[in-house]
């Protein structure tokens, strides 16, 4: 099992590394990183490990900043001297929250929890693969018939930038900024469009991945999305939907 330790205090990092190897003899500590900046740089050039042990308060800021910049999909065991971050920790792939000084029995219990989760998902891998095959077999709409003036035209799915709801209407906007009114709800369109290409950002916007131009951090762990063609309002991804959106955007 490959493990990354993110800890800015060298004695604490060495003690944690020793405790991990004592509890998990086959563990491989790939790197020990001491700051937000070094962690971000490391993840830019290396694949995700199997597990991360992450301190929260680092010398150059909270480690949550790493998760805002990098799409990390592996589980995280947080280690910290502060108990006020536990809620945010479990919103960022956290599977356990260990208070310093980390006790050996607590660390071993956290690793056992990780192994049980891994076995559970491995046992359900076949079901997941079957579900993916079924999902891939679904025929999503490749064209949409829309009205322009007195005529009807077809718009290819790849030429659509986004759909949005406004004043009890649902509109479609293509890559050239042309707007068309549809007689379907966003929920219906979400089912008809390929989820690999379109994502429901919030209750008002269903957006193509190709229309997303910028993703910015927003207060209270939310995200601000900029699209093209641009819109006259802010498109916000809620805190509850941030992790799912990051997973989608990174695939």
């Amino acid at each position: 099992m490959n493990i990354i330790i993110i800890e800015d205090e060298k004695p604490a990092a060495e003690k944690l590394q020793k405790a991990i190897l004592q509890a998990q003899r086959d563990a491989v500590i790939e790197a020990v990183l001491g700051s937000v900046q070094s962690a971000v740089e490391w993840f830019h050039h290396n694949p995700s490990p199997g597990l991360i042990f992450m301190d929260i308060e680092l010398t150059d800021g909270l480690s949550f900043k790493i998760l805002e910049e990098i799409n990390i999909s592996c589980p995280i065991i947080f280690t910290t001297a502060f108990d006020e971050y536990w809620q945010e920790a479990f919103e960022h792939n956290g599977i356990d929250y260990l208070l310093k000084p980390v006790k050996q029995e607590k660390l071993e219990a956290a690793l056992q929890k990780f192994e049980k989760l891994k076995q559970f998902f491995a046992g359900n891998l076949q079901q997941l693969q079957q579900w993916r095959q079924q999902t891939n077999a679904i025929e999503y709409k490749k064209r949409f018939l829309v009205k322009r003036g007195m005529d009807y035209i077809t718009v290819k799915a790849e030429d659509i930038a986004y759909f949005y709801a406004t004043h009890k209407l649902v509109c479609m906007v293509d890559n050239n900024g042309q707007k068309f009114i549809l007689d379907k709800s966003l929920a219906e369109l979400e089912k008809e469009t390929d989820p690999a290409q379109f994502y429901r950002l919030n209750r008002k916007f269903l957006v193509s991945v190709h229309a997303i131009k910028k993703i910015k951090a927003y207060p209270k762990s939310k995200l601000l999305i900029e699209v093209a063609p641009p819109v006259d309002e802010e498109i916000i991804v809620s805190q509850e939907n941030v992790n799912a959106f990051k997973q989608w955007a990174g695939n």
Side-chain angles (χ1 to χ4, degrees), residues 178-232:
Q178 295 185 91
K179 185 187 300 183
F180 307 92
I181 296 176
L182 304 180
D183 58 357
K184 294 186 177 183
S185 67
L186 279 185
E188 290 174 317
L189 291 167
E190 188 177 7
K191 293 177 181 178
E192 293 180 350
T193 51
D194 185 352
Q197 182 177 349
F198 289 90
Y199 190 86
R200 183 77 176 268
L201 296 177
N202 53 37
R203 63 184 180 84
K204 294 186 67 175
F205 284 89
L206 175 64
V207 178
S208 167
V209 64
H210 304 296
I212 296 175
K213 299 306 174 186
K214 285 187 180 180
I215 303 171
K216 298 182 178 180
Y218 197 79
K220 297 184 179 179
S221 300
K222 300 177 182 179
L223 294 177
L224 174 65
I225 310 298
E226 292 186 8
V227 296
V231 296
D232 296 329

Side-chain angles (χ1 to χ4, degrees), residues 90-106:
F90 284 107
E91 293 171 355
H92 290 90
N93 292 13
I95 62 168
D96 218 325
Y97 192 94
L98 305 180
L99 290 175
K100 294 179 179 179
V102 177
K103 296 181 179 180
Q104 185 69 26
E105 60 268 23
K106 294 288 187 181

Side-chain angles (χ1 to χ4, degrees), residues 50-248:
L51 179 65
I52 299 173
F53 280 83
M54 182 180 289
D55 188 13
I56 293 179
E57 292 198 357
L58 303 175
T59 52
D60 55 347
L62 298 181
S63 59
F64 298 130
K65 292 182 179 178
I66 301 168
L67 305 173
E68 292 173 0
E69 294 194 39
I70 302 295
N71 180 30
I72 296 176
S73 58
C74 72
I76 300 171
I77 296 175
F78 288 91
T79 60
T80 177
F82 306 93
D83 60 3
E84 64 262 35
Y85 299 113
W86 67 268
Q87 186 171 359
E88 192 168 358
F90 284 107
E91 293 171 355
H92 290 90
N93 292 13
I95 62 168
D96 218 325
Y97 192 94
L98 305 180
L99 290 175
K100 294 179 179 179
V102 177
K103 296 181 179 180
Q104 185 69 26
E105 60 268 23
K106 294 288 187 181
L107 182 140
E108 291 178 2
L111 287 171
Q112 288 174 7
K113 180 192 290 187
F114 168 71
E115 289 297 332
K116 287 180 180 178
L117 288 170
K118 190 165 66 172
Q119 289 172 13
F120 172 80
F121 287 109
N124 287 273
L125 181 59
Q126 186 175 2
Q127 293 181 15
L128 178 61
Q129 290 173 336
Q130 290 174 349
W131 176 83
R132 283 181 172 172
Q133 289 172 357
Q134 292 171 358
T135 301
N136 292 336
I138 296 174
E139 284 291 331
Y140 297 106
K141 286 182 73 70
K142 297 178 181 179
R143 296 177 298 278
F144 287 81
L145 185 66
V146 296
K147 193 173 183 179
R148 185 169 64 182
M150 298 299 294
D151 301 323
Y152 286 90
I153 63 170
T154 57
V155 180
K156 294 180 181 179
E158 59 263 32
D159 294 331
I160 299 170
Y162 48 83
F163 304 90
Y164 71 96
T166 177
H167 303 299
K168 297 184 179 180
L169 294 175
V170 172
C171 298
M172 180 182 79
V173 178
D174 68 13
N175 296 329
N176 296 319
Q178 295 185 91
K179 185 187 300 183
F180 307 92
I181 296 176
L182 304 180
D183 58 357
K184 294 186 177 183
S185 67
L186 279 185
E188 290 174 317
L189 291 167
E190 188 177 7
K191 293 177 181 178
E192 293 180 350
T193 51
D194 185 352
Q197 182 177 349
F198 289 90
Y199 190 86
R200 183 77 176 268
L201 296 177
N202 53 37
R203 63 184 180 84
K204 294 186 67 175
F205 284 89
L206 175 64
V207 178
S208 167
V209 64
H210 304 296
I212 296 175
K213 299 306 174 186
K214 285 187 180 180
I215 303 171
K216 298 182 178 180
Y218 197 79
K220 297 184 179 179
S221 300
K222 300 177 182 179
L223 294 177
L224 174 65
I225 310 298
E226 292 186 8
V227 296
V231 296
D232 296 329
E233 61 182 287
E234 291 184 335
I235 303 178
I236 306 297
V237 177
S238 68
Q239 184 184 47
E240 295 77 14
N241 198 26
V242 163
N243 282 341
F245 170 73
K246 286 181 177 179
Q247 290 278 4
W248 173 81

Side-chain angles (χ1 to χ4, degrees), residues 3-6 30-31 33 35-54 63 66-67 69-76:
I3 295 174
I4 295 296
I5 295 175
I6 301 176
E30 286 192 88
L33 309 168
S35 66
V36 172
Q37 183 178 354
S38 63
V40 169
E41 186 172 345
W42 190 92
F43 281 106
H44 272 311
H45 296 92
N46 295 276
S48 180
L51 179 65
I52 299 173
F53 280 83
M54 182 180 289
S63 59
I66 301 168
L67 305 173
E69 294 194 39
I70 302 295
N71 180 30
I72 296 176
S73 58
C74 72
I76 300 171

